[in-house]
Amino acid sequence: EVQLVESGGGLQQSGGSLRLSCAASGFTFSSYAMSWVRQAPGKGLEWVSSISSIGGSTDYADSVKGRFTISKDKSKNTLYLQMKSLRPEDTAVYYCAKCSSAWLLDPSYFDYWGQGTLVTVSS
Amino acid sequence: QSALTQPASVSGSPGQSITISCTGTSSDVGGYNYVSWYQQHPGKAPKLIIYDVSDRPSGVSHRFSGSKSGNTASLTISGLQAEDEADYYCSSYTSSSALKVFGGGTKLTVL
């Protein structure tokens, strides 16, 4: 059974940093791309970042480019999102999602999602 | 502003069928057969219910079906049940970036 468990969310002041983690199990972590998707309170889904299966390729939404860094530790089956220079508009539930393909530019979809972790950025 | 356009809300009575549209362009929905749909109940994580326009993951009810015509994809839910009340999001492969575009979401109310 595929499981994705996020952690690391919390309250942070504007300009601060947080690192989110996503512990993955039930599938071969090194064979699939992974992503972070966020959802601001009362709003829709917004893709944040993706990393390829072996971690060689990454991509970011313009809204977080230069501030967020995605990475994966294959030895720990864990996905990370390092968030710096946080802004109030980064307040959201952050979901870890497994992609159905290995490569970022291949057609794909999010076949499994974690339960999410809430990040709140105060001004 | 979402790249894919969905109606903000739809409603239907138990037993009825409803359809949610997802309109894009020839660079995404119209150009590829890679549309996916997600169901999200309040306070819960999204769940994949349709991929590659019309395929259902194992365990998803046959009451959910997907189709596409031109630049518009559609999700149809037949035999509406109270448990179908949720938000629904579409997503499409695009020529510029895979799996990174969502529709704005549609709130389904079961009357």
Side-chain angles (χ1 to χ4, degrees):
Chain A
E1 178 191 8
V2 172
Q3 287 197 322
L4 300 170
V5 180
E6 301 97 334
S7 59
L11 177 62
Q12 186 59 260
Q13 287 192 325
S14 182
S17 299
L18 274 176
R19 189 178 81 158
L20 306 183
S21 300
C22 171
S25 61
F27 65 100
T28 304
F29 188 64
S30 59
S31 294
Y32 296 93
M34 298 291 295
S35 294
W36 290 96
V37 177
R38 69 184 180 184
Q39 186 170 36
K43 302 297 184 181
L45 301 174
E46 179 190 14
W47 168 77
V48 173
S49 181
S50 296
I51 186 168
S52 62
S53 57
I54 56 174
S57 297
T58 58
D59 202 1
Y60 300 90
D62 289 343
S63 57
V64 307
K65 198 170 293 183
R67 300 187 299 121
F68 291 8
T69 302
I70 190 171
S71 62
K72 60 188 323 192
D73 185 333
K74 293 180 288 293
S75 68
K76 295 182 178 179
N77 280 7
T78 300
L79 176 71
Y80 300 101
L81 186 67
Q82 178 68 52
M83 310 163 67
K84 298 181 179 179
S85 302
L86 284 164
R87 306 167 179 168
E89 55 264 36
D90 294 321
T91 295
V93 174
Y94 285 73
Y95 294 102
C96 163
K98 174 185 170 295
C99 303
S100 59
S101 67
W103 309 108
L104 298 191
L105 292 182
D106 283 349
S108 183
Y109 44 86
F110 303 110
D111 51 4
Y112 293 94
W113 299 66
Q115 85 288 351
T117 187
L118 176 62
V119 172
T120 303
V121 183
S122 65
S123 54
Chain B
Q1 187 175 3
S2 301
L4 305 178
T5 301
Q6 299 180 232
S9 63
V10 298
S11 63
S13 299
Q16 288 185 330
S17 294
I18 63 94
T19 297
I20 299 171
S21 61
C22 171
T23 301
T25 69
S26 57
S27 296
D28 40 63
V29 174
Y32 310 94
N33 289 324
Y34 298 120
V35 176
S36 52
W37 289 90
Y38 304 87
Q39 177 192 59
Q40 185 181 34
H41 287 107
K44 301 295 186 181
K47 172 189 174 184
L48 176 70
I49 56 172
I50 295 288
Y51 65 97
D52 294 352
V53 176
S54 60
D55 290 339
R56 273 186 310 275
S58 174
V60 173
S61 171
H62 285 221
R63 296 186 299 104
F64 294 90
S65 62
S67 62
K68 192 188 81 167
S69 177
N71 295 338
T72 298
S74 298
L75 172 71
T76 297
I77 308 174
S78 59
L80 267 181
Q81 299 179 0
E83 67 204 47
D84 299 331
E85 188 161 288
D87 293 325
Y88 293 84
Y89 295 89
C90 65
S91 181
S92 175
Y93 177 78
T94 78
S95 56
S96 57
S97 61
L99 55 78
K100 299 166 189 172
V101 174
F102 289 100
T106 298
K107 180 177 182 58
L108 168 62
T109 300
V110 180
L111 302 171

